[in-house]
Amino acid sequence: MLIQIAAVGKLKEKYLVLGIAEYAKRLGPYVKLVLTEVPDERAPETMSAAEEAIVREREGERLLAQIKPEAHVVALALDGELWSSEDLAGQLDRLATYGRSHVAFVIGGSNGLAPAVLKRAQQKLSFGRMTLPHQLMRLVLVEQIYRAVKINRGEPYHK
């Protein structure tokens, strides 16, 4: 299975880079993990709603350009479904069973995801109502993917 994490912005914090690298290494024997970063749109700190929409749209175009047509897209969004670790494992297992071998998780920038990205997504996933930095979300997501793989394989880790 190919699992892609497409995200806006470059990881800057060393601890996040190291954490993601560790889980990517652990996932190596089980899945092919591809981390795709697209540049965030330069924008002033304070923007009007129209300016924020333009930023989301431009970042969304960059994200969509990196996702292959055959990919099953899961957008991370505050209004998405709440899944447990077991739910995520089940979703990945079902996708693999029914021939969807490319899953792309999409993480927007600080202004969220463009409507076009949300429309392209087959599912929306939320990690809760709390707002987390989008860079930290990558580490949380890759850890949960690793946990899901271990659950599906019946191997120890998930406790």
Side-chain angles (χ1 to χ4, degrees), residues 87-103:
D87 291 337
L88 175 60
Q91 292 286 339
L92 292 177
D93 189 50
R94 276 188 290 286
L95 289 168
T97 299
Y98 294 105
R100 299 306 298 256
S101 61
H102 180 177
V103 179

Side-chain angles (χ1 to χ4, degrees), residues 43-122:
E45 271 301 306
T46 56
M47 294 182 280
S48 69
E51 290 170 321
E52 284 184 12
I54 290 169
V55 167
R56 278 192 300 275
E57 182 180 318
R58 289 179 181 161
E59 291 173 347
E61 289 168 357
R62 291 179 191 134
L63 286 167
L64 290 172
Q66 298 300 316
I67 299 170
K68 295 197 185 304
E70 68 272 11
H72 179 90
V73 178
V74 180
L76 273 63
L78 286 174
D79 65 342
E81 296 178 43
L82 295 171
W83 294 348
S84 67
S85 297
E86 294 85 358
D87 291 337
L88 175 60
Q91 292 286 339
L92 292 177
D93 189 50
R94 276 188 290 286
L95 289 168
T97 299
Y98 294 105
R100 299 306 298 256
S101 61
H102 180 177
V103 179
F105 291 90
V106 184
I107 303 172
S110 58
N111 293 300
L113 287 167
V117 176
L118 296 170
K119 184 177 179 184
R120 169 67 176 86
Q122 283 85 8

Side-chain angles (χ1 to χ4, degrees), residues 76-80 82 125-134 136-137 140:
L76 273 63
L78 286 174
D79 65 342
L82 295 171
L125 170 62
S126 174
F127 277 75
R129 293 184 357 186
M130 285 192 246
T131 301
L132 297 172
H134 58 281
L136 176 61
M137 200 60 240
V140 173

